[in-house]
Amino acid sequence: MPEYASIATLDALLDDLRVGEARRRQLTMVRGELRRALDRGGLPVGARRSLRRLLEKEALTTYLRLAESGTLREREVAGGRPPTSQATNAARHRCLHLLRAAHGLPPLHLGGAGRTPPRPTPDHGTLTALRRRLDQDLATAMSPGHTRLTALLALVLDAAPRAGELTALRLSHFTPDRTAVFIQRRPQNGGDKVDDVWCALSSLTRAALERWLAVRGPLVERAHGTSRLWVSLFVNHDGTLHQHGRAVLRPPGLPLEEKGLLISYRTGRARYDLTTLLPPKLEQLRRAVLDQTPPTLVAAPVD
């Protein structure tokens, strides 16, 4: 494949962007699509040499038409390349706005899909019912997966962390009595703004964490230790292959990454009969907490 100066500049820009893992995956998708659009010869010649030209309206309008039609998909889906979803189209627009801003370009109205309306979030009564349900579950015997999800949900109800912020939590981010947790807020749209906050934890969350840490301890010990709060429960693999083509297996007790955490939320929602209390997306629950029962911020503990 030919090398393009605009893509090399884009790669350098992406390396410097501070964004969450979800946004990073979306930006990687857009980068790949732009590269394939250049390979097809569908964009202005100047877009090959200059990132500014690549991010101008003329090039982006053509790129969006190709991308939304499915033409720039990296892989076939069911034997073809169907149009991309409205959610993917909206994510693509947000990434382009972010890239233009990071490159010092003004906002640009690109039309088309734009921003999709936010998904509805649970109301105050549903959040109250969810707390009640978690409290009831803590009085019963729970599987390791149910225990982990209960602790995760309780933390979200108290501190409203994003998925990436949840994944980054370590045991050292809690006060010794677990009455507060340290959250390093990292807005998804990137930039240098990072807000370090301490959030108070309820008795429900403290009880849920105690149950989870009792499960976590033996798992981590067998996997030779980590300070990360969330760990895997079963043998899995990360996509790496042996030289003979077999997947490299990872033992339980290793740090749970953002993708695995989100999968555990989705599967646990159905498995533990929480579909009437939990929205399909963890982000919807987080936004509901911010809207209905915002976290109680506390002063940083003194050593």
Side-chain angles (χ1 to χ4, degrees):
M1 290 184 182
E3 295 297 327
Y4 303 111
S6 58
I7 296 297
T9 306
L10 175 59
D11 288 340
L13 184 148
L14 290 173
D15 286 343
D16 291 337
L17 275 181
R18 297 179 64 180
V19 294
E21 290 186 31
R23 182 69 77 217
R24 177 70 61 184
R25 289 194 296 268
Q26 293 168 355
L27 287 165
T28 300
M29 175 196 73
V30 168
R31 186 266 187 204
E33 290 177 339
L34 287 169
R35 173 63 184 266
R36 288 189 287 278
L38 290 171
D39 288 340
R40 291 173 59 89
L43 303 185
V45 174
R48 301 178 181 183
R49 299 188 296 269
S50 164
L51 179 57
R52 179 175 291 269
R53 291 290 304 278
L54 182 60
L55 295 177
E56 287 180 348
K57 187 171 185 177
E58 180 183 3
L60 293 184
T61 300
T62 303
Y63 156 66
L64 287 170
R65 176 173 53 78
L66 292 171
E68 291 173 7
S69 72
T71 301
L72 300 179
R73 284 183 181 271
E74 186 174 15
R75 300 180 181 86
E76 291 188 353
V77 178
R81 288 182 167 81
T84 54
S85 68
Q86 185 179 14
T88 297
N89 296 343
R92 188 180 288 120
H93 277 250
R94 288 193 289 270
C95 286
L96 292 177
H97 289 306
L98 174 58
L99 291 175
R100 281 181 58 86
H103 198 52
L105 298 174
L108 180 66
H109 177 67
L110 296 169
R115 184 181 296 273
T116 55
R119 294 182 176 90
T121 59
D123 57 22
H124 189 279
T126 302
L127 294 181
T128 300
L130 176 59
R131 288 182 180 276
R132 188 182 307 117
R133 167 63 190 277
L134 297 181
D135 189 51
Q136 292 169 352
D137 287 347
L138 285 170
T140 67
M142 294 190 294
S143 68
H146 196 176
T147 302
R148 185 179 66 186
L149 180 64
T150 299
L152 185 150
L153 293 176
L155 261 174
V156 173
L157 288 172
D158 279 354
R162 294 176 174 84
E165 295 162 359
L166 270 172
T167 305
L169 284 177
R170 297 180 180 275
L171 299 185
S172 59
H173 289 163
F174 296 86
T175 55
D177 57 2
R178 289 194 281 278
T179 57
V181 62
F182 171 78
I183 303 290
Q184 190 173 57
R185 303 287 193 203
R186 293 189 176 276
Q188 193 180 39
N189 61 0
D192 294 329
K193 183 177 176 57
V194 177
D195 295 323
D196 297 345
V197 297
W198 282 89
C199 300
L201 296 180
S202 63
S203 58
L204 170 68
T205 300
R206 295 197 295 273
L209 285 171
E210 184 176 353
R211 288 283 292 272
W212 163 238
L213 291 175
V215 173
R216 176 191 175 280
L219 292 170
V220 170
E221 186 175 352
R222 288 199 295 271
H224 308 297
T226 177
S227 64
R228 292 265 289 275
L229 177 62
W230 310 112
V231 299
S232 60
L233 302 173
F234 309 104
V235 172
N236 59 65
H237 65 87
D238 61 1
T240 305
L241 300 180
H242 284 294
Q243 60 179 344
H244 301 299
R246 293 190 299 273
V248 177
L249 297 181
R250 305 167 75 243
L254 293 182
L256 195 65
E257 302 302 335
E258 183 175 338
K259 182 178 179 180
L261 184 143
L262 292 174
I263 290 174
S264 72
Y265 174 86
R266 291 196 298 269
T267 58
R269 175 177 175 267
R271 181 175 296 158
Y272 308 119
D273 193 26
L274 290 164
T275 54
T276 60
L277 297 175
L278 290 178
K281 301 285 188 179
L282 180 61
E283 175 62 15
Q284 292 170 264
L285 178 62
R286 185 187 78 86
R287 285 194 288 109
V289 171
L290 291 176
D291 292 341
Q292 306 290 341
T293 57
T296 299
L297 303 184
V298 298
V302 178
D303 292 335

